[in-house]
Amino acid sequence: MKNGINTIAVWGDSILKGAVTGLSDHRFEILDNTNSLTLASKTLHFELINKSVFGNIINKSQRTLNRDMERGLVCDIGIIESGGNDCDYDWPSVSENPNVPHEPRNPLPEFLRMMNEMVHTLREYRITPLLMTMPPLVLDRWYKTITLEQNEVNIRAFLHDDIFRLYSRHELYSLNIVKYAHKNNVQLVDMRMAMLERSDFRELMCADGIHPNEKGYAYMADVWIRELPKLYKEF
């Protein structure tokens, strides 16, 4: 790219791994060359080092990042993509006993602390950090996903009979990523906003309500193609 960005590494979860659902009897599948950054690299001609792992929470991404830095990984941009799994709950546990306290896999302060540490680590190694917001939930589909084969009555009790709490928790983490980026002068690709700009954004999402489908990943690739050339290298 003209901005001198030739190599991009990403530490993320299934969203940037390219996971889809509903194509077979398997709950999730990773299809070759469907993840959005791989698609974008074919147009922008950058090298992609994808360290994303299905089911990742930011703790695991941070450990991988630290190990990669110690081993001498070199890139121009380091993308940190997390939040969807961090803000989620252990639904089987909630289903079994909704009346005891349940915390997200990573409470928001811990999530932000680790994201901040990852940003600082990248900058210490003279790599420009880049954050990405989460694609929006399709609430009714996601609710069906988390209650599948679980005690729906108990899950609704935990949610105080308000399933919108699922969306608001997801939104809270995403908005805090934006807030952190602005406060700390970290470049950001607001994928959530880009997808919500589509009036038919539901058509970009899988039946589980949280993963983009193949059409969604192609749309995300177009967002990367538009936004990555606008970035600047900090070092």
Side-chain angles (χ1 to χ4, degrees):
M1 285 182 277
K2 292 182 179 180
N3 55 5
I5 295 171
N6 299 310
T7 305
I8 296 175
V10 53
W11 292 270
D13 56 29
S14 55
I15 300 297
L16 289 187
K17 187 67 174 177
V20 294
T21 62
L23 297 183
S24 69
D25 293 336
H26 300 291
R27 189 174 180 187
F28 300 101
E29 289 192 36
I30 306 295
L31 301 183
D32 292 337
N33 299 321
T34 59
N35 78 73
S36 58
L37 284 166
T38 294
L39 293 172
S41 70
K42 295 177 181 179
T43 297
L44 297 178
H45 306 294
F46 58 84
E47 178 187 355
L48 176 64
I49 304 171
N50 197 337
K51 296 288 186 170
S52 300
V53 176
F54 181 84
N56 247 10
I57 53 178
I58 201 165
N59 318 52
K60 296 180 180 179
S61 292
Q62 185 179 28
R63 287 196 295 269
T64 302
L65 170 66
N66 291 340
R67 183 174 63 247
D68 289 336
M69 294 299 100
E70 292 170 359
R71 292 176 176 175
L73 186 149
V74 176
C75 59
D76 300 305
I77 295 288
I79 300 175
I80 301 168
E81 180 266 317
S82 198
N85 295 316
D86 299 272
C87 72
D88 201 17
Y89 292 87
D90 181 347
W91 293 112
S93 295
V94 173
S95 174
E96 183 176 347
N97 192 345
N99 299 314
V100 301
H102 295 277
E103 290 286 343
R105 289 190 171 93
N106 272 311
L108 183 60
E110 287 299 296
F111 171 75
L112 293 172
R113 176 185 62 79
M114 286 181 279
M115 185 173 68
N116 180 60
E117 290 173 355
M118 292 176 73
V119 165
H120 281 280
T121 297
L122 288 170
R123 284 174 165 165
E124 287 172 5
Y125 283 87
R126 301 183 65 79
I127 297 170
T128 299
L130 175 65
L131 300 176
M132 186 196 103
T133 53
M134 303 174 286
L137 283 177
V138 179
L139 181 57
D140 55 328
R141 297 179 194 171
W142 179 236
Y143 177 70
K144 290 180 181 179
T145 298
I146 67 167
T147 56
L148 183 67
E149 300 180 354
Q150 303 298 334
N151 187 322
E152 184 177 357
V153 171
N154 282 353
I155 289 177
R156 289 195 73 96
F158 172 74
L159 296 171
H160 300 279
D161 206 32
D162 179 12
I163 69 170
F164 187 75
R165 286 171 179 255
L166 297 169
Y167 189 94
S168 61
R169 170 68 57 174
H170 198 263
E171 181 87 338
L172 176 65
Y173 278 59
S174 191
L175 288 173
N176 270 276
I177 293 171
V178 176
K179 180 180 178 181
Y180 173 87
H182 291 326
K183 182 179 180 181
N184 294 277
N185 196 29
V186 179
Q187 295 175 89
L188 171 78
V189 171
D190 196 346
M191 196 63 72
R192 191 183 196 89
M193 181 71 74
M195 296 184 78
L196 287 173
E197 286 172 351
R198 287 277 297 259
S199 59
D200 63 343
F201 87 90
R202 291 171 62 97
E203 296 182 10
L204 304 178
M205 303 297 289
C206 287
D208 68 354
I210 197 168
H211 289 93
N213 54 30
E214 290 184 74
K215 184 178 178 181
Y217 287 126
Y219 180 77
M220 288 174 61
D222 288 339
V223 175
W224 290 120
I225 291 167
R226 182 183 73 220
E227 297 299 327
L228 288 175
K230 299 177 184 178
L231 302 180
Y232 63 88
K233 293 171 63 175
E234 294 182 10
F235 305 99

